[in-house]
Amino acid sequence: MTNPAVRAAGDGGSPAAAGPAAVGPAAGGSPAAGPAAYGIGKITRDAVLAAALEIIDRDGADALSMRRLARALNRDPMILYRHAPGKAALLDGVAETVLAQLEVDSADPDWAGQLRKVARRFRALALAHPHVVPLIVTRPLATPLGLRPLGTLRPLEDILALLTRAGFSGPDALHIYRALFGFLHGHVLDELQELTVSPDETDDLLRLGLHRLPISDFPLLRGLAPALAAYDGSAELERGLDILLTGLTTTVTPTRPESPASA
């Protein structure tokens, strides 16, 4: 099965380049973003976070350290503490850097269409930066909402603005946000772990390693081998959004006319 990271799709299902490519020196993990690329002038927080993102994209969050980051930037490690007090702050900053690319048009009069676009953009970012996904999806769970980095809360605020402008009450807007991102978080985690045991094997049961499961205990799962082997993350996202948005539009309705601000 093709690595999902190379199948990232934007709003129209085409390879995503516009969003994630805007990260700067870290985009693509190119070796050119080493010490020479950052120069010898004054170091900035953006440069620090871009270099940290590059390390995480290439080797994972566990590989990031202040010392390794300092080497990548050709700086004394102590200088980096002016921009981040430690690794935890760096990880939060990297999450903010990636989520800053998640555009939400809160003035879009088609709230459901805008949420679908946001979902596609979120998936594209997740597939472009798979090692950052845990920082966005699971790491915030250990931090109270009001204490999270402000940049990570921007999508929530923007979507609440989108939905309240469309006439939804605040609590209903929050319900819709939670339903959408609960689905998105689960989807990207599922897609990133869609792995095959033997990619060159032609038999789906063998390719996915399902032949190792006792047939008497897992007859349905084994029987779904062709469907599992044909996993298409973009198509699965669209089908899930169809189900989710159809359910939301029939169970949660605006409580007042659309706000003139969205006209």
Side-chain angles (χ1 to χ4, degrees):
M1 181 175 295
T2 305
N3 187 330
V6 301
R7 301 200 314 266
D11 289 351
S14 59
V23 177
S30 170
Y38 293 98
I40 58 175
K42 182 179 179 181
I43 199 72
T44 65
R45 183 174 185 271
D46 286 345
V48 170
L49 294 179
L53 176 59
E54 182 180 0
I55 292 172
I56 293 174
D57 277 343
R58 185 172 57 243
D59 300 320
D62 289 342
L64 179 66
S65 68
M66 299 298 274
R67 187 171 298 277
R68 180 174 179 182
L69 182 59
R71 287 199 303 269
L73 291 166
N74 196 24
R75 293 294 193 278
D76 186 300
M78 296 308 296
I79 293 178
L80 302 186
Y81 287 97
R82 300 174 185 173
H83 303 282
K87 181 175 177 178
L90 283 175
L91 296 179
D92 287 341
V94 167
E96 287 187 284
T97 296
V98 173
L99 282 177
Q101 301 171 58
L102 185 61
E103 179 186 351
V104 180
D105 181 3
S106 58
D108 190 342
D110 180 8
W111 67 269
Q114 181 60 210
L115 291 185
R116 189 179 289 271
K117 291 177 182 178
V118 169
R120 293 168 182 162
R121 293 167 189 152
F122 184 84
R123 174 179 176 262
L125 287 172
L127 297 184
H129 304 286
H131 292 306
V132 180
V133 169
L135 306 182
I136 296 173
V137 175
T138 61
R139 179 176 167 80
L141 297 178
T143 306
L145 191 64
L147 299 180
R148 295 175 192 174
L150 297 182
T152 64
L153 297 176
R154 178 51 53 189
L156 169 57
E157 182 69 18
D158 289 345
I159 289 175
L160 292 177
L162 167 74
L163 295 171
T164 53
R165 282 191 176 113
F168 291 97
S169 68
D172 280 347
L174 183 59
H175 172 75
I176 294 172
Y177 171 87
R178 286 171 172 166
L180 175 66
F181 274 83
F183 162 69
L184 285 177
H185 290 169
H187 173 84
V188 297
L189 289 174
D190 280 346
E191 184 166 1
L192 290 174
Q193 65 182 9
E194 282 289 325
L195 304 176
T196 58
V197 176
S198 304
D200 297 328
E201 174 60 58
T202 57
D203 182 272
D204 293 332
L205 198 69
L206 299 177
R207 192 151 71 96
L208 297 176
L210 296 178
H211 62 288
R212 300 174 181 174
L213 300 178
I215 190 170
S216 58
D217 294 334
F218 299 96
L220 297 177
L221 188 56
R222 286 172 56 111
L224 284 171
L228 290 167
Y231 181 88
D232 181 331
S234 178
E236 289 290 332
L237 178 74
E238 296 300 327
R239 179 166 175 76
L241 288 171
D242 288 341
I243 296 170
L244 177 66
L245 293 175
T246 298
L248 287 173
T249 54
T250 57
T251 60
V252 185
T253 57
T255 56
R256 54 182 171 77
E258 184 178 343
S259 168
S262 65

